[in-house]
Each structure stands twice: as structure tokens, then as C-alpha cells.
Amino acid sequence: MTVPFVPDRLLFGGDYNPEQWPREVWAEDMALMRRAGVNTVTIGVFSWAVLEPREGEFEPGWLDDVVALLDTNEIGFFLATPTASPPPWFTRAHPDALPVRADGTYVSHGSRDTYAISAPAYRQAARRVARFLAERYGDHPRLRGWHVHNEYGTIDHGPHAAAAFRRWLQGRYTSLEALNDAWCTAFWSQRYDDWEEILPPRTTQYLANPAHAVDFKRFCSDEMLTACTEQRDEIRTAGSTAPVTTNFMLPTWDHLNQWDWSEQLDLASVDHYLDTPGPDGEAHVAYGADLTRAWGGGPWLLMEQSAAGIRDGARQAFKDPDRMIRNSLGYVARGSQGALFFQWRASAGGSETWHSAMVPHVGPQSRTYEGVVELGALLGRLQEIAEPPRTGPVVEADVAVLWDANGRWSLQTPHLPNDELDYTTEVRATHRALWRAGVAVDFVRPGADVTRYRVLFVPTLMALDADTVTWLTRYVDAGGHLVVGRFTGVADEHQRVAPGGYPGRLRELLGVRVTEHLPLAPDETQELSDGSVVEQWTERMDPPRADIVAAYAEGPLAGLPAVTRRRVGDGAATYVSTRMVQESWDGFVAALLAEHDVRPVVPEAAGTGVEAIRRRGAEATYLFLLHHGDQPVRVAGPGHDLVTDSPTDAGIVVAPGGYAVIREAPTAAWSVTPLPPA
Ligand code: GAL
């Protein structure tokens, strides 16, 4: 991303799939969109079969009509390339382009995302349809950007993948000798003598080779990225200069190294579906938003969210309109240039019939559509915030969390000391603790400029390359406080353990030498000397060359160090050898923040249920107050609330479930006072 994505207004709308509906409905769609202030839709995402009904024969008349209709109604659009869902004719003509699962099963069409990413026929067809769309619509004045594909993520283990994987490995290792060494193939007689012997990690008799598994994940991300940039290049060759994005997906789709991808895109965008209807959903909004802002390195876009449903195991919980609005503001506050949804109108049939939409089955006489209208009007009033600051970040944070796709992939390899150690769970636990403390948070990648952060958290990162070790060491040498979680740095980038004691590559920096990993049973907890409760994991270590912050208070490790801190000049390296339960971790993190004077965005909001986020703009800063609590509050300070268009100096009341977006006077200080229930 070289130029920040700055639309002329905050984008509002969603996936629009008019090909599912008769034309009378299109007219109603336009009227309802206008009423709701929709200014952006994504069209064409799953339209390949109607756009190109036979190989090489395009029938774009309907799409011309959709574009014309949007134009007449002054609605902008992202044009999607439909390559996530090849039509039946494609798979029939090119059965070799069907994806193969690890167990060798060919996946059939009948759903979506059924393609073998490395199959030449698929890649060629994808380029062709991207080129066709770019030539036809690439200079349309209402084109806001290109939405290449949809949520890349179909993993193929078939022959095309095997060939491409070998090429990728040759590029990475050059010689088979280097590969054999990196993969430790001497174990279990896996030595490769010919590149052709190497396969994708398919179903095996027993445990797979971890280095092989992680390299395959890296390859899949790179291979899908190449497919994506091929489409981007077709679009550019056709002369279209509109921004190019592809929608990442959270929380479950973990196949990409989004840092690398974002470098190739003009805009980072994400589909974010909350995974809990409970209060933790708000922390999840913050997590998805902070992560995508980090990937994009600036303003980004919420491409999809659900209008009224939150998946809760087997059932669909209802998302109330006020929560939908607060959540949307939570993304915008953290740098999203709008709030888009999947999808505009709920489908009457098909696989996602029961997915919520901006216009539900019951129609516009619904709380959901009314909420949509309210959100559209609200975003219209916030237009000025889309202009990013001339210098510095959109959100300013003093603490950061390291996020690395490789960390996730390493922990997905089998037979670790405790397979319950899950990367995303760990990262989210740390982010949640910071969110609960009310501070702004950045995510960073290995090697990033971290000089501005007072505390850098590495929740866990099993495998570290030499550069990352040097980078972390420099951070501490320069006066930063590094907080490292268990099972970090135990291996190199090939998942090979550094012998001589854990955490091998960080022993020096942390001043500890761990000799045993001692996982706890699933329900087991223990106490530490500072009263913290821990679970899942403990470690025995030698007397550290570091201060002991807390010791194990019970069990076989009673009296031995659990949490240590090594001081290095003005800097420090803390090691946490166990997993604190969330409440204990919250307390530990809050104390660290206080020690480093990392203050909440609005300290006075603590305990009121009001979430405060500050977004920086070109002319001012904007304080977003999202009230998730159940008692009204009075907020006062020098500024102007854009929601109600009223000054805040004498105070405004924010009701439970409500919100305010305040253009702040410079150096504004805020008071937040709970009021008796209305
Ligand atoms: C997204 C996807 C949409 C739709 C949605 C349902 O991940 O991009 O097409 O399937 O999920 O939640």
C-alpha cells in the first residue's frame, strides 16, 4: 500500500447480488438504497455463471444494466472478479482444476470456492474474466475499486499443487540437500533424492513432518497471492487505475500471510464475522479492526459484516440494530473508511438463505432495515473523518502486539508439548486484556519499526528466524519493554529446536533457561505467588539471570520462577512461562501499562461500559464513544458531537446502547459520569 485509500465519503452498503432477483426487485432495491444512504455496493462476486455462461462467451448485458442503474442512482460500486466460484461448465471442461483434499478426495462443484489454485486452466480463465471486466467497466466513474476474487482460501493438494509446490521449494532452498537439512528428513527415512518425490502434505500414516507442513502453508499463501496479482495485472493492463483489493476473512480463514498480501494491494479490506453474541463480541470487533489496520498500514475497509446475525454454534443469535451500529462505528473508529455488509437483500433460496442481510426476508418494515437507515444517515454526518492525518497514524498506540502468520502455522503442527496452545487464542487474550484496559493497540509484524511502543507483546511465537531475534533484542536494547509468552523462540523458521535449553533463541535476551515443559490437565489450574491463576502450561527453569516477578505457588514447581524480568539498560525483557487465566492476565497487563504510563484513551470511562477510541483526521481528532453498558452517562469536554450536531462543552448524555462521535478541541480532557437509570 503506497497511497492511503481516501474515498470522498465513508462507504456504506454491501454485497449486491441482483442476478438472484427479477428486475422489479431491482427498482425497489434502488429506492431502498437511496433511502438508507447506501453509496457503495459490491457487485458480481458470484456472477461467473451468468457473466460467462459458456467458456469464452460473455453475456454482460445484465451487468451493464446494473451498472447503469447504480449510476442513475448515484451509487458507487466495487466490481468483483467472480473467480471464487467457477461455473459448472468450467469444472466439467477442466476436471483437473478441481481441488483435492489432503486425503485425495476430489472436491466437486455444487457449492463455491471449488478451484485448484495452481491449475493452468483455472488461472487462465480467471485472468480472462478479470480482463474482460476491466476492459468493459475499468474506467467507469462510479467504480470505487476492484474486489478481486472473494476470500482466497481453497487449499489444493492435487497434482497441480504438487508441481507448483516443488517449484516454490526450488526457489526457497535451491538444492535438495538444503531442503533435506531444513526439514530434518533424516528422521523416519524421509530423505528426498529427486524433487519429483516431494508431495503436498497429504494424509499420512502417522505424524506429518512439521517443516513440510509449514512450508506448504507458506507456499499456499504465496501461490494464491500470485493468482491474485495476476488478476490485478490484467486489470492494470486493461488501463483501469481504480484501487485493487481482495477481502481477507476473520476470524476463521487463516490461510494467508496478510502482511505480504497487503504490500501488493491498494487497500486492505476484511470480512469480519463475530464469533460470540456475548459481550466479548465488542473486543472481537476491536481485534479485527486493529489487525486489518495493521495489515494495511493505514486506512482500510470493512468489506463485509453481518447486519443482524451472530453465529453462536448451531444457532444464529440476533444482532440488535443498536449493536450493529455500535459495532460499525467500532471499525470506523479504528480506521475503516466505511461499513459494508454481506449482503444487501437476504436471498430467498440457495446455501445462505438464512444469513442476515440489510434488507431481511420480511422486508423494509423491520428493525434491521430501520437500523440500516439510521447507520447510513449517521455515516453521512461523519464524512469529514475519512480524510486521514497528514502525518502519523490514523490511530495512535503506545503498545503493540506481534502478529505473525508463521506463528499460527507452527502451532498447527502436530504433537507439541500441549496441542491446546492455539496461536489466535493467545493473541486475542493479550489484545482483549489491552482492550479491557481501554488503551489503543497496534499489531506489528517482525522487523517493523517499533521504536514508538513502550511495551511490545509477543503472546507466543514458537519459531523465530535469526533476524527476528536480532530485532527483538534491539527493541529491548533501545529501552523497550518486551513481554514474551511461553513457547516462544524454541525453534528456528524450519521448526528445528535450538538445543541447550528453551526458549533456545531467546535464552540470552530473557535471561532464562527452561528445562522442562509441564502442561497441565485440561481443567487444572494453579496459583502463582502474586495470586494469579494459571492454566494449560507450566515450565521448570533454572535460577534465572533475571528478577523473579512471580513464582509457582503449588504443584511440583512450587517456589520456582514462573514470571521473570531481565533489565537491560532502560529496557526490559519479561518472560511469562505459563498461561494466566484471562482475569489474571488482565490484571498483569494493566499493571504493566500503569508502570509505563500507558494511559487509557479516556481514563474517566473506566468501569462505565463506555468504550473510547480516538481516530486522527486531517483537521482534528475524533473521539468515538460506544456505550455497551446499561446506565446512561454524561460526557463533557470541549468538542462537538457529530451524531447529534451539538457542542459537548456543557455535557451530553449517552444512553445505554448509544454512541457519540466528538470532534475534539486540541488538548481536550473528558469527564464521564454515570447517571441514574432513565
Ligand atoms: C463471507 C463471504 C460471503 C458470505 C458470508 C456469509 O465470508 O465472503 O460471500 O458467504 O461470508 O457470512
Side-chain angles (χ1 to χ4, degrees):
M1 237 131 302
T2 44
V3 185
F5 176 72
V6 188
D8 57 352
R9 64 199 62 201
L10 289 173
L11 305 187
F12 177 57
D15 278 27
Y16 181 39
N17 300 305
E19 64 272 25
Q20 296 177 14
W21 296 95
R23 298 223 173 192
E24 312 82 83
V25 177
W26 299 13
E28 193 200 16
D29 286 335
M30 293 303 118
L32 293 177
M33 283 185 193
R34 288 185 73 112
R35 198 161 112 212
V38 165
N39 58 39
T40 306
V41 292
T42 297
I43 50 174
V45 186
F46 293 111
S47 70
W48 199 345
V50 283
L51 182 67
E52 188 184 355
R54 287 162 299 283
E55 182 140 27
E57 288 179 35
F58 291 93
E59 289 184 4
W62 67 275
L63 189 54
D64 292 349
D65 294 346
V66 172
V67 166
L69 204 56
L70 292 170
D71 191 20
T72 311
N73 287 280
E74 301 179 347
I75 296 169
F77 60 92
F78 274 88
L79 185 51
T81 64
T83 51
S85 208
W89 62 251
F90 176 80
T91 49
R92 188 158 167 234
H94 305 285
D96 66 300
L98 288 169
V100 180
R101 294 216 164 105
D103 67 0
T105 323
Y106 272 81
V107 175
S108 182
H109 71 246
S111 178
R112 69 174 192 192
D113 299 292
T114 315
Y115 53 84
I117 194 75
S118 309
Y122 170 73
R123 293 278 273 272
Q124 194 195 350
R127 284 200 304 269
R128 184 175 60 213
V129 69
R131 181 66 169 262
F132 175 84
L133 290 170
E135 283 173 353
R136 196 169 185 95
Y137 306 103
D139 59 357
H140 197 284
R142 300 227 183 257
L143 177 65
R144 291 199 181 276
W146 290 97
H147 174 302
V148 170
H149 199 90
N150 190 69
E151 299 178 343
Y152 276 99
T154 300
I155 303 300
D156 173 39
H157 299 77
H160 292 302
F165 184 38
R166 285 175 203 130
R167 285 194 295 277
W168 184 90
L169 290 169
Q170 282 166 356
R172 182 172 171 84
Y173 293 105
T174 315
S175 74
L176 271 176
E177 197 187 347
L179 178 140
N180 279 311
D181 182 47
W183 287 13
C184 292
T185 56
F187 192 67
W188 282 353
S189 174
Q190 291 176 353
R191 185 177 180 281
Y192 294 103
D193 194 44
D194 187 326
W195 292 101
E196 293 300 308
E197 292 165 1
I198 302 175
L199 298 171
R202 297 192 182 142
T203 306
T204 44
Q205 207 299 107
Y206 186 42
L207 303 175
N209 179 314
H212 180 194
V214 172
D215 266 349
F216 185 67
K217 303 227 183 218
R218 292 173 176 143
F219 153 75
C220 288
S221 176
D222 287 357
E223 181 74 354
M224 290 188 275
L225 177 56
T226 304
C228 177
T229 55
E230 276 172 13
Q231 290 199 36
R232 178 202 63 194
D233 295 347
E234 291 292 343
I235 289 166
R236 293 286 178 254
T237 308
S240 181
T241 54
V244 172
T245 189
T246 185
N247 46 347
F248 301 142
M249 200 275 180
L250 287 170
T252 51
W253 228 213
D254 58 6
H255 309 295
L256 311 182
N257 187 342
Q258 289 88 341
W259 297 117
D260 294 347
W261 281 63
S262 299
E263 284 173 7
Q264 301 296 326
L265 301 169
D266 301 312
L267 164 68
S269 64
V270 79
D271 302 347
H272 195 207
Y273 291 93
L274 301 191
D275 58 3
T276 169
D280 199 42
E282 325 308 340
H284 197 197
V285 167
Y287 168 80
D290 286 336
L291 198 47
T292 315
R293 183 181 71 253
W295 289 334
W300 56 282
L301 184 63
L302 178 70
M303 189 62 92
E304 291 179 19
Q305 63 173 330
S306 84
I310 303 177
R311 202 75 212 167
D312 183 18
R315 75 191 177 103
Q316 178 101 284
F318 190 77
K319 196 196 269 181
D320 274 316
D322 66 347
R323 186 177 198 183
M324 180 274 283
I325 295 174
R326 273 181 290 125
N327 287 173
S328 299
L329 290 177
Y331 297 107
V332 172
R334 295 179 171 85
S336 176
Q337 295 291 44
L340 306 180
F341 294 80
F342 175 84
Q343 61 178 333
W344 164 249
R345 186 183 277 280
S347 302
S351 308
E352 291 187 327
T353 304
W354 299 103
H355 196 284
S356 74
M358 300 167 81
V359 181
H361 289 148
V362 295
Q365 283 79 32
S366 55
R367 293 205 305 137
T368 298
Y369 178 73
E370 281 162 18
V372 163
V373 172
E374 195 177 328
L375 177 60
L378 173 59
L379 292 177
R381 294 199 287 280
L382 304 186
Q383 198 146 316
E384 65 186 74
I385 71 174
E387 191 65 38
R390 293 195 188 85
T391 55
V394 200
V395 174
E396 210 156 45
D398 296 325
V399 292
V401 179
L402 183 71
W403 184 91
D404 184 2
N406 290 288
R408 191 176 56 192
W409 295 333
S410 297
L411 288 189
Q412 288 168 352
T413 59
H415 224 52
L416 301 174
N418 188 348
D419 288 338
E420 285 171 7
L421 177 60
D422 174 70
Y423 187 70
T424 302
T425 305
E426 294 309 311
V427 174
R428 275 177 69 178
T430 294
H431 185 273
R432 185 181 295 115
L434 293 165
W435 180 81
R436 288 181 177 178
V439 302
V441 187
D442 277 345
F443 283 102
V444 293
R445 70 189 296 181
D449 178 2
V450 282
T451 42
R452 62 162 290 121
Y453 303 112
R454 291 180 222 168
V455 188
L456 171 61
F457 292 88
V458 182
T460 185
L461 190 56
M462 174 184 157
L464 295 185
D465 61 18
D467 288 348
T468 305
V469 175
T470 308
W471 172 69
L472 292 173
T473 308
R474 285 214 183 109
Y475 173 71
V476 175
D477 285 344
H481 191 152
L482 176 70
V483 181
V484 173
R486 66 207 176 285
F487 211 53
T488 296
V490 296
D492 69 5
E493 67 271 35
H494 305 296
Q495 329 305 314
R496 289 181 304 202
V497 166
Y502 314 109
R505 316 205 97 198
L506 290 180
R507 268 193 329 247
E508 200 55 36
L509 177 61
L510 298 170
V512 300
R513 180 171 175 272
V514 170
T515 54
E516 293 167 17
H517 296 128
L518 301 171
L520 301 180
D523 298 329
E524 195 179 350
T525 57
Q526 287 188 2
E527 256 194 44
L528 301 188
S529 56
D530 66 355
S532 305
V533 177
V534 304
E535 59 187 354
Q536 193 192 66
W537 191 288
T538 64
E539 292 179 348
R540 179 190 298 275
M541 64 173 84
D542 288 347
R545 286 175 296 105
D547 300 335
I548 297 173
V549 176
Y552 291 101
E554 50 183 318
L557 301 178
L560 296 180
V563 182
T564 60
R565 182 189 290 194
R566 179 170 165 249
R567 291 173 194 280
V568 183
D570 289 342
T574 289
Y575 183 58
V576 183
S577 70
T578 178
R579 170 180 231 265
M580 292 189 199
V581 299
Q582 186 74 48
E583 283 62 34
S584 294
W585 188 232
D586 292 349
F588 185 86
V589 168
L592 262 178
L593 296 175
E595 183 188 336
H596 290 281
D597 199 27
V598 177
R599 291 166 58 76
V601 176
V602 175
E604 294 72 16
T608 62
V610 173
E611 177 183 9
I613 312 124
R614 180 169 286 120
R615 173 168 170 156
R616 299 175 67 240
E619 305 295 341
T621 58
Y622 299 91
L623 183 66
F624 286 66
L625 299 174
L626 312 178
H627 196 349
H628 310 305
D630 50 16
Q631 203 180 331
V633 292
R634 171 177 297 281
V635 176
H640 192 90
D641 178 25
L642 303 179
V643 175
T644 52
D645 192 16
S646 50
T648 52
D649 305 61
I652 55 166
V653 175
V654 184
Y659 39 84
V661 181
I662 301 171
R663 186 197 305 120
E664 300 176 290
T667 70
W670 295 97
S671 70
V672 182
T673 322
L675 299 172

